[in-house]
Amino acid sequence: QFGKEACDTLVAAMTNEQYSDVLICIAGYAKDISKMLDSNAGLKSRFTNFFQFPDWEEDDCVNYFKMLADKELFELSQGVLDAVHEGCGRIRQLRGWGNGRDLMKIWAETKSNRSERVHGATELEKQIKLQDVKMALDGLIQVRVGKLSDFPVGSDPLGELDSLFRMEGIKQKLQRLQKTWAVAKLEGDGPLHLGHFVFTGAPGTGKTTVARAIARVLFGLQLKPSDKLVETTGLDLQAEYLGQTAAKVNALLGEAKGACLFCDEAYTLGRGQFGKEACDTLVAGMTSEEFKDVLIILAGYPHEMDEMFKSNAGLKSRFNHFFTFPDWHPNDCVAFFQHCAKRDKFMQLDQASLDVVRHGFEQLVKLDGFANGRDVTAVWNDAKSLRAERIYDCPEDGAAKTLRLEEVRESISSMIQSRLPKHARMTTLEDTSFSDTGASSSTFSMYGDGTKKSPPRTQQTKEQE
């Protein structure tokens, strides 16, 4: 209301004889100025001269930095201008790029770093060294993204994938991309087109872990100024009212500038009016100059993702890299369970416990809701909780941490019970040997469908009944 009133008053003044000798200049962001001028039919026609001020490129930053150094009679060490070129290329991808204003900040901070370095020492000539400018650039990046990285310098960004299973094909493709990007950067092939990614697979197969690894690889190669991964879902991209969805999608794209946007359960983007609006806005963002530096990763179930792509003809062609994440087999679950024990410094599990894990996951993979590695982690954490109950009042002898057979059995039985359909849950109990798993003695539960599985914990059964 007040803005419109101010605009109307300005238009009236521009046609008033009293202010005929006033020259008016208005300035602002191109998109916002255009929107403002379009909001008042008579306003735009009052202006006769329009000037577009382009954003600075890396070469502009280098030239301005050199001009400032020459003006103050500083010598620049070898590699300084290359560092300015590379650092400004990273900063330009982030929100809040201030063009010449940012260069002034970098220059002032560079001089401050140099003053601290030479304090109390004698320098024969005024010289800016590589370390002075790199500290200034890293400082500005840290301010813009809140950190440089959580990832240890010199570590393998793909190392985290080694703890996952059935990832050999995924890791091989990522290593190929990593080498392609590294060689292109080394040979100076100009701005690299990184492309966008589609991940298809069931829950718990490592999609989010791989998305984070990609963000770290790009950061490690200095192809992205941050290893940040903005995580969302297809439903979270949709608003409650028409017209609000586009603003929500654009806000997340803005948050992911210079980084990666990961959208899980992306197949919901092809459903309903709000889903279509979110999908259209995402496509527009992928072709927009404003969000050209955002790498987008969509993830979801294979069939649903295919349906989503069919709903928008222009969407699938925007993606270059497609990764399929296979479901885990029972042996993968056993191997990961052993990995969890080793990671948490437990004694090696006995064969009977491993057989119980294998038998249990042979059942779970057939039931609805199987979440692959996520389920193994849940069973492991539940078994550790049962152990904690056991040793709270009666600590274990010795330093070694142990997990008992009954704790493993009870944990996996509890998960099986929670996944079974209601009509198939336990009806009677009978004692027998657990011969097919190698355990010396155990208890089976007889379910309504006639199958035998290890029993759930008694208290939980009572609560469910």
Side-chain angles (χ1 to χ4, degrees), residues 426-431 443-446 455-456 458:
M426 186 179 63
T427 55
T428 61
L429 290 174
E430 62 178 16
D431 293 328
T443 305
F444 274 88
S445 299
M446 182 68 74
T458 308

Side-chain angles (χ1 to χ4, degrees), residues 293-319:
D293 56 0
V294 178
L295 186 145
I296 297 172
I297 304 171
L298 301 185
Y301 298 114
H303 176 71
E304 286 84 347
M305 291 295 286
D306 285 341
E307 293 298 314
M308 186 266 290
F309 282 125
K310 289 176 185 176
S311 72
N312 190 308
L315 184 59
K316 190 170 186 177
S317 62
R318 308 290 177 192
F319 291 86

Side-chain angles (χ1 to χ4, degrees), residues 100-358:
R101 192 176 299 134
D102 273 356
L103 260 294
M104 290 298 295
K105 290 178 182 176
I106 293 167
W107 173 247
E109 189 62 26
T110 297
K111 289 195 298 178
S112 176
N113 292 336
R114 182 237 171 213
S115 297
E116 190 173 340
R117 175 174 55 81
V118 302
H119 179 68
T122 303
E123 191 175 52
L124 297 177
E125 57 186 17
K126 293 171 64 177
Q127 190 175 54
I128 298 294
K129 293 194 174 181
L130 183 59
Q131 66 200 65
D132 302 328
V133 72
K134 289 195 80 169
M135 287 172 62
L137 291 164
D138 285 347
L140 186 55
I141 291 172
Q142 193 163 8
V143 167
R144 295 282 161 85
V145 301
K147 62 177 183 178
L148 286 176
S149 176
D150 287 334
F151 201 64
V153 176
S155 299
D156 179 11
L158 302 180
E160 191 175 351
L161 273 59
D162 292 335
S163 63
L164 301 180
F165 295 85
R166 309 206 70 198
M167 294 291 269
E168 293 79 10
I170 300 287
K171 188 168 182 179
Q172 189 176 24
K173 288 180 72 173
L174 282 177
Q175 286 172 331
R176 189 181 306 128
L177 281 174
Q178 184 181 22
K179 291 172 183 176
T180 301
W181 292 333
V183 170
K185 183 176 182 295
L186 184 67
E187 295 178 345
D189 288 348
L192 286 179
H193 179 62
L194 301 174
H196 302 285
F197 291 73
V198 174
F199 293 171
T200 54
T205 49
K207 297 187 293 295
T208 304
T209 302
V210 172
R212 290 172 183 157
I214 288 174
R216 287 169 176 165
V217 167
L218 293 172
F219 174 79
L221 293 173
Q222 296 188 348
L223 295 172
K224 289 288 180 190
S226 167
D227 64 354
K228 179 180 180 182
L229 183 74
V230 177
E231 298 180 32
T232 186
T233 66
L235 285 176
D236 287 340
L237 287 176
Q238 302 172 45
E240 297 180 4
Y241 303 102
L242 192 63
Q244 293 181 339
T245 294
K248 203 169 184 182
V249 174
N250 285 329
L252 276 168
L253 286 170
E255 187 182 344
K257 276 184 71 66
C260 302
L261 176 66
F262 176 69
C263 179
D264 204 1
E265 299 174 2
Y267 44 80
T268 57
L269 296 176
R271 299 174 183 171
Q273 186 176 8
F274 299 120
K276 185 179 184 304
E277 185 183 358
C279 198
D280 292 342
T281 306
L282 200 61
V283 171
M286 294 170 77
T287 57
S288 160
E289 184 69 20
E290 183 180 1
F291 303 123
K292 67 179 181 180
D293 56 0
V294 178
L295 186 145
I296 297 172
I297 304 171
L298 301 185
Y301 298 114
H303 176 71
E304 286 84 347
M305 291 295 286
D306 285 341
E307 293 298 314
M308 186 266 290
F309 282 125
K310 289 176 185 176
S311 72
N312 190 308
L315 184 59
K316 190 170 186 177
S317 62
R318 308 290 177 192
F319 291 86
N320 319 71
H321 310 292
F322 294 81
F323 287 63
T324 300
F325 291 72
D327 281 332
W328 287 24
H329 295 316
N331 284 342
D332 300 315
C333 300
V334 173
F336 188 55
F337 200 85
Q338 288 177 293
H339 167 81
C340 292
K342 184 177 180 181
R343 178 198 64 202
D344 293 349
K345 297 180 172 56
F346 275 74
M347 284 188 66
Q348 185 174 350
L349 298 169
D350 58 38
Q351 190 58 47
S353 295
L354 296 178
D355 286 340
V356 168
V357 172
R358 180 178 291 102

